[in-house]
Amino acid sequence: MTVGKTDFSPPSVTITTPLAGMTVNGAITVSADATDNIGIQKVEFYTTQSLTPFATDSDAPYTVLLDTNTLLDGPTYLYAKAYDTAGELIGGVGNMGQSAYVCVIIKNDTMVPSAVIASPADGAIVSGNLAISASASDDRGIA
């Protein structure tokens, strides 16, 4: 009886969201499609800003959250590694397939908006109906 890994075909994995070139911030959803002739054991999700996965999912659909506030602003690449179930019988990890890199632009909002009351003036004594005016600014605009 021979016990060992007989499947040498790696899984196929593709990042499906976010799309390449997107500008993202805050908590974002990262999804991948993974297929294999035997079965998928797990999908690990990575950024090029770390050597360790930021999340792992063992159940399809393979969808995780990424907190971009933990990353540096600017371009970063996302990728996924899928492992098949070929190695489970011998207590190991199966074949691994890696997705293509997907470049996203991290642009987290780090500037606090500011607001200034223009009138009435600070310390003014007011009564009755009055108009209050203010100005506000933020690097991302004011809604």
Side-chain angles (χ1 to χ4, degrees), residues 4-63:
K5 185 166 133 178
T6 58
D7 172 36
F8 296 100
S9 299
S12 171
V13 60
T14 304
I15 298 274
T16 56
T17 57
L19 299 175
M22 286 183 71
T23 299
V24 297
N25 62 66
I28 64 167
T29 299
V30 181
S31 300
D33 284 337
T35 59
D36 184 70
N37 62 325
I38 302 295
I40 299 296
Q41 180 184 37
K42 65 181 175 180
V43 175
E44 296 175 336
F45 293 85
Y46 294 82
T47 74
T48 51
Q49 293 189 27
S50 175
L51 296 174
T52 58
F54 66 84
T56 301
D57 195 351
S58 299
D59 299 308
Y62 305 102
T63 301

Side-chain angles (χ1 to χ4, degrees), residues 28-138:
I28 64 167
T29 299
V30 181
S31 300
D33 284 337
T35 59
D36 184 70
N37 62 325
I38 302 295
I40 299 296
Q41 180 184 37
K42 65 181 175 180
V43 175
E44 296 175 336
F45 293 85
Y46 294 82
T47 74
T48 51
Q49 293 189 27
S50 175
L51 296 174
T52 58
F54 66 84
T56 301
D57 195 351
S58 299
D59 299 308
Y62 305 102
T63 301
V64 297
L65 288 178
L66 169 62
D67 180 5
T68 66
N69 292 304
T70 64
L71 302 173
L72 299 173
D73 278 3
T76 196
Y77 293 86
L78 306 175
Y79 63 101
K81 292 181 181 179
Y83 296 86
D84 69 15
T85 57
E88 289 182 340
L89 292 177
I90 56 173
V93 176
N95 301 306
M96 185 271 292
Q98 182 174 311
S99 72
Y101 292 94
V102 173
C103 182
V104 295
I105 310 302
I106 308 293
K107 188 170 181 183
N108 290 307
D109 191 359
T110 57
M111 181 177 281
V112 176
S114 65
V116 176
I117 296 177
S119 80
D122 188 26
I125 298 172
V126 297
S127 65
N129 293 333
L130 74 134
I132 299 174
S133 64
S135 63
S137 66
D138 185 65

